[in-house]
Amino acid sequence: MKVRLNGRELREGTDYTVDYNIGQLTIRNEAALVPGADLKISYEQNDLFQLASKTLLGARGVYDFSDKTTLGFTIMNLNQETLSDKVRIGEEPLSNTIYGVDFRTSADLPFLTNTLDYLISTREMSSFTFNGEYAYMSPDPNTKKSTIAEDGGESIAYIDDFEGAKRTIPVGVNYTGWKDLSVPEGLNIIGGLNRQQRMSFKSKSFWYTVTPSDVVVDSIYGGRKQVARSDQQITVLDYVFVPDTPGTYNTDPDLVQKENNWGGMMRLLSSTANNLVEQNIEFVEFWMKIERAPEGATLNLDLGVISEDVIPNNQLNTEDKNLNDAIDEGEDTGLDGFFDAQERVEYQSTKSDPGGDNFIFTGNPISIFDYFNINGTEGNAVLTDVGLLPDTEDLNRNGSVDLANNYYRYTIPLTTDTASNPFIAGGGFTSSNWFLYRIPLKRYISYNWQSKLFKC
């Protein structure tokens, strides 16, 4: 399969993913989701999504006893594997073997020729020829065997694999799809302050995707999951929170008491996730590895209508001054609309970057802090595809900044203690400490900030 954007071939695992079980393609590259994007998808054959491999092997041998006597044998094996361990009727993996033996011999019969000469004069030597072939087939129409002792090793197949037909809405781990977080509501300690006052407690967050990925299948699953060598790398999203450093547009920081500090990222869900309840989505699931999280730290996951107002001024902040959906000269200012020199005047600061929104990335990272400014919006026009689009608070592209907050919140302890963390559903197979977190959508706190309504 090949996916091209504006003639450039996109990379699987980074720009898009393919679910080969059901033949579903999911685009991750934000530039490919823009209306009118020149996106072309091509694939070679229909059975790409049906079989993992199809192998036909054969061997032929012949032994000559003499010029007139030979013994031959033939063996052929057809083996078909499926992508999923859960096999449905009609899609079973098979292994059929055919064995064959053939024999041929001939002999001259001069006595028969002499006898016939009394009746008929012959010029050709009489001869005897014998040919024989035998074939045997050993079929296995389903190589997937039951692991239940009572089944006696019989083959199994599913009439309908409901688990394999589950609906999944991927959120995406490409770092360019995630944006700076607007001021959250419902913070326990500083919840009584207005949004502008809460900005003083915004700490530095940055997130990035390592390419090529430094995480492999064995790091998460150990030996429990086997994949092809070309699929060993898993693309992950790294998120770093630095509580003692001011976050973007925190021009009056108050970060002494770290328990007050907040930071984060947000993104727009796809149009296929507009009503999770009616779509029978039951939980949010992700793998996560936690490093150096202080005791008592939590992750708040908010799902619903969330304010887009990253700079809390009730106005739409965007780089697109010309309103043409393109970065023109002088527009790559960042969300606040100011270059550094203007920021020093506007924010009355002597810092080199008072807004903390500069984009800096060398392209040769050695440590995680080489990604410190990779999410900056001022000067990020150098980024391919994403940088060519103006940065804006208007994530849903409706022409205005949405201020409403009406969402469900799920609070997840940042601990790998399975006894105290009810959201851990698996993992921990290796020393790298990757765990599977599964958050039921019914275990929420509901926030409606228009009517100040809270529900548990």
Side-chain angles (χ1 to χ4, degrees):
M1 171 174 288
K2 293 184 179 180
V3 181
R4 290 184 174 86
L5 175 63
N6 298 325
R8 181 178 66 86
E9 186 171 341
L10 301 184
R11 179 178 177 180
E12 183 177 356
T14 302
D15 298 311
Y16 67 92
T17 59
V18 181
D19 187 337
Y20 290 97
N21 292 308
I22 60 176
Q24 177 174 296
L25 171 70
T26 303
I27 301 296
R28 291 178 172 179
N29 191 308
E30 295 295 318
L33 300 176
V34 174
D38 182 14
L39 185 66
K40 295 182 179 179
I41 302 170
S42 60
Y43 57 90
E44 295 181 357
Q45 54 189 20
N46 294 331
D47 62 358
L48 176 66
F49 306 111
Q50 299 171 3
L51 300 175
S53 64
K54 179 188 293 184
T55 305
L56 179 64
L57 296 175
R60 169 71 178 167
V62 177
Y63 181 77
D64 293 329
F65 292 95
S66 66
D67 292 340
K68 296 183 178 181
T69 303
T70 60
L71 175 66
F73 66 88
T74 305
I75 182 172
M76 294 188 67
N77 175 262
L78 173 63
N79 185 278
Q80 293 183 173
E81 297 289 340
T82 59
L83 288 164
S84 175
D85 286 337
K86 293 197 172 180
V87 179
R88 292 187 297 181
I89 291 178
E91 299 177 0
E92 298 91 340
L94 60 85
S95 179
N96 294 338
T97 304
I98 299 177
Y99 307 91
V101 177
D102 58 273
F103 178 77
R104 181 180 62 84
T105 187
S106 64
D108 292 336
L109 301 175
F111 72 91
L112 182 60
T113 303
N114 294 333
T115 301
L116 291 175
D117 281 342
Y118 290 105
L119 301 175
I120 304 173
S121 177
T122 62
R123 297 181 180 180
E124 297 295 331
M125 176 65 69
S126 298
S127 63
F128 169 80
T129 301
F130 174 80
N131 288 306
E133 294 182 356
Y134 174 79
Y136 173 77
M137 180 175 181
S138 176
D140 189 348
N142 186 359
T143 59
K144 180 62 178 177
K145 307 302 181 183
S146 174
T147 58
I148 301 175
E150 290 78 3
D151 291 343
E154 293 292 330
S155 300
I156 59 172
Y158 292 81
I159 296 176
D160 199 347
D161 182 9
F162 290 101
E163 182 177 345
K166 69 179 181 181
R167 178 174 176 78
T168 302
I169 301 177
V171 176
V173 296
N174 192 345
Y175 81 97
T176 57
W178 293 85
K179 307 300 179 183
D180 198 7
L181 181 68
S182 58
V183 182
E185 304 289 352
L187 299 177
N188 295 333
I189 300 176
I190 58 176
L193 303 178
N194 62 42
R195 289 185 299 143
Q196 188 60 56
Q197 291 171 327
R198 270 176 268 151
M199 278 292 291
S200 297
F201 301 95
K202 181 180 182 181
S203 296
K204 176 67 177 182
S205 296
F206 61 95
W207 53 93
Y208 57 94
T209 305
V210 177
T211 304
S213 177
D214 55 355
V215 178
V216 296
V217 170
D218 287 345
S219 299
I220 299 178
Y221 303 100
R224 295 170 178 259
K225 184 175 182 180
Q226 301 296 322
V227 298
R229 184 183 298 272
S230 58
D231 297 328
Q232 280 291 323
Q233 292 175 315
I234 299 179
T235 302
V236 301
L237 178 67
D238 288 89
Y239 173 80
V240 181
F241 180 57
V242 189
D244 56 0
T245 301
T248 308
Y249 306 123
N250 182 0
T251 57
D252 185 23
D254 181 3
L255 306 176
V256 178
Q257 298 184 22
K258 294 183 180 180
E259 63 271 18
N260 293 347
N261 302 345
W262 61 271
M265 56 185 181
M266 63 181 180
R267 70 170 297 150
L268 181 70
L269 292 180
S270 67
S271 58
T272 60
N274 54 7
N275 194 322
L276 300 181
V277 176
E278 291 185 359
Q279 293 172 320
N280 294 322
I281 302 298
E282 297 183 0
F283 52 81
V284 177
E285 184 180 84
F286 54 87
W287 287 85
M288 180 167 61
K289 178 182 179 182
I290 303 171
E291 294 184 352
R292 298 186 296 276
E295 184 177 355
T298 59
L299 169 67
N300 287 328
L301 175 63
D302 298 339
L303 288 176
V305 178
I306 298 175
S307 170
E308 298 175 323
D309 203 16
V310 176
I311 302 176
N313 55 9
N314 298 333
Q315 298 177 359
L316 174 60
N317 294 98
T318 178
E319 292 181 330
D320 192 14
K321 306 303 180 185
N322 295 334
L323 301 179
N324 60 356
D325 287 328
I327 283 289
D328 299 318
E329 185 176 356
E331 287 189 339
D332 194 14
T333 60
L335 286 181
D336 61 359
F338 304 124
F339 288 111
D340 291 342
Q342 297 170 289
E343 288 179 351
R344 285 190 282 272
V345 175
E346 181 70 20
Y347 303 138
Q348 299 181 5
S349 173
T350 59
K351 294 181 179 180
S352 60
D353 178 22
D357 61 352
N358 283 1
F359 169 81
I360 302 174
F361 184 62
T362 61
N364 297 301
I366 299 176
S367 71
I368 62 172
F369 286 96
D370 291 324
Y371 295 95
F372 194 79
N373 293 308
I374 196 171
N375 312 119
T377 53
E378 180 179 336
N380 69 341
V382 295
L383 285 175
T384 305
D385 296 335
V386 175
L388 302 179
L389 300 174
D391 293 299
T392 178
E393 291 180 330
D394 183 19
L395 300 184
N396 59 6
R397 305 287 177 173
N398 65 353
S400 63
V401 59
D402 296 329
L403 304 176
N405 279 296
N406 185 9
Y407 54 81
Y408 298 131
R409 170 165 293 173
Y410 307 85
T411 301
I412 306 159
L414 291 182
T415 175
T416 57
D417 181 9
T418 56
S420 60
N421 194 337
F423 299 115
I424 295 181
F429 301 129
T430 67
S431 58
S432 57
N433 289 325
W434 282 89
F435 286 87
L436 174 64
Y437 291 79
R438 182 175 294 146
I439 298 91
L441 292 183
K442 294 181 179 180
R443 298 186 61 173
Y444 62 84
I445 296 178
S446 178
Y447 292 91
N448 187 325
W449 294 95
Q450 310 311 320
S451 59
K452 304 299 182 183
L453 175 64
F454 305 86
K455 293 182 180 179
C456 295

